[in-house]
Amino acid sequence: MKPNFSSFPLYIFFILFVSSFIYVPIEASNLIEETCKRCAQNDPNVKYGFCKTSLQAAPASQCANLKGLGSISIKLLRYNVTDTRCHIKHLLKNKKWDKYYLQRLNDCFELYSDAITTVKQAMNSYHDKRYDDANIQISAIMDDSNTCEDGFKEGGNSTSSPLSKRNENLFELGATSLCILMNMEG
Ligand SMILES: *[C@@H]1O[C@H](CO)[C@@H](O)[C@H](O)[C@H]1NC(C)=O
Ligand SMILES: *[C@@H]1O[C@H](CO)[C@@H](O)[C@H](O)[C@H]1NC(C)=O
């Protein structure tokens, strides 16, 4: 009679194989939810829904670990900055603005141009594990979005900023990135 032990490792292998499929996606999607929940609890600038939707919509985020999520959040930041700079360029080109708006839009264009440089630096810092530098750079980008938005509120003038939604998105994405960084530092 042949001993049956060769089927035993196979059986173990099968369990591991199957469970790796079941276990990993659940764990990873929980990671987004858990991270966003923790961030929303600890930082009033992070909104759970926004954090979760943004991260989940990003390619490959379901399989990412915390380090990967951090990288994804900075990439989202970069797309946001780039897209908004392009949008402002468009606004300046395709519409006649009065002096008040023109000046502020030009200021925002400059702020977003700087933010592009800064977000590239933040990505490099992050990949080199210089998390303190990344923290400073991401904070600077959040300041840029605030400064842009505040420009439209100057002199008690509450005329609406044409960039409110975008500035807000950028700020919230920045806050999400910062919170992930904080979690990585322990
Ligand atoms: C900025 O990022 C947010 C969150 O990922 C997204 O909902 C929004 O569409 C982005 N905006 C732009 C202009 O890319
Ligand atoms: C307020 O904003 C409007 C925008 O149309 C502008 O015409 C006006 O000059 C602004 N007033 C002040 C005090 O900046």
Side-chain angles (χ1 to χ4, degrees):
M1 199 176 138
K2 251 197 199 161
N4 198 20
F5 62 80
S6 72
S7 67
F8 186 68
L10 243 179
Y11 173 71
I12 297 273
F13 175 76
F14 180 74
I15 295 275
L16 286 177
F17 183 74
V18 168
S19 64
S20 74
F21 273 99
I22 297 166
Y23 183 67
V24 170
I26 291 173
E27 147 101 349
S29 82
N30 275 348
L31 181 64
I32 292 181
E33 286 175 13
E34 274 165 21
T35 306
C36 290
K37 201 177 282 171
R38 202 176 322 135
C39 286
Q41 274 165 1
N42 296 332
D43 183 347
N45 292 323
V46 178
K47 293 191 187 76
Y48 175 71
F50 179 89
C51 174
K52 188 179 149 190
T53 316
S54 303
L55 291 178
Q56 279 182 345
S61 66
Q62 309 290 323
C63 302
N65 57 17
L66 195 58
K67 171 114 204 291
L69 282 186
S71 174
I72 285 167
S73 73
I74 300 175
K75 267 184 210 139
L76 288 176
L77 209 54
R78 186 172 175 174
Y79 295 144
N80 251 252
V81 171
T82 310
D83 191 75
T84 298
R85 183 179 177 273
C86 164
H87 179 73
I88 300 172
K89 202 175 184 176
H90 231 67
L91 287 179
L92 285 168
K93 222 192 255 168
N94 298 324
K95 209 172 147 186
K96 269 218 159 293
W97 300 92
D98 69 16
K99 238 180 99 190
Y100 174 82
Y101 273 114
L102 194 60
Q103 195 185 331
R104 275 143 192 89
L105 281 174
N106 273 320
D107 288 348
C108 287
F109 186 72
E110 250 173 57
L111 287 164
Y112 271 87
S113 301
D114 289 346
I116 287 187
T117 311
T118 314
V119 80
K120 283 178 190 162
Q121 290 168 348
M123 266 176 141
N124 290 334
S125 303
Y126 186 79
H127 289 304
D128 295 346
K129 298 195 171 73
R130 286 181 285 112
Y131 297 132
D132 286 346
D133 290 343
N135 190 311
I136 291 166
Q137 284 145 354
I138 292 166
S139 302
I141 293 165
M142 292 166 73
D143 281 347
D144 287 339
S145 73
N146 270 340
T147 309
C148 166
E149 188 60 23
D150 286 347
F152 291 94
K153 291 175 192 152
E154 265 166 24
N157 198 327
S158 61
T159 39
S160 61
S161 153
L163 300 169
S164 285
K165 194 70 214 158
R166 288 167 178 270
N167 286 329
E168 192 187 317
N169 273 342
L170 186 62
F171 187 83
E172 282 187 28
L173 269 184
T176 304
S177 291
L178 282 187
C179 177
I180 294 175
L181 272 180
M182 233 89 102
N183 277 292
M184 293 193 47
E185 284 163 340

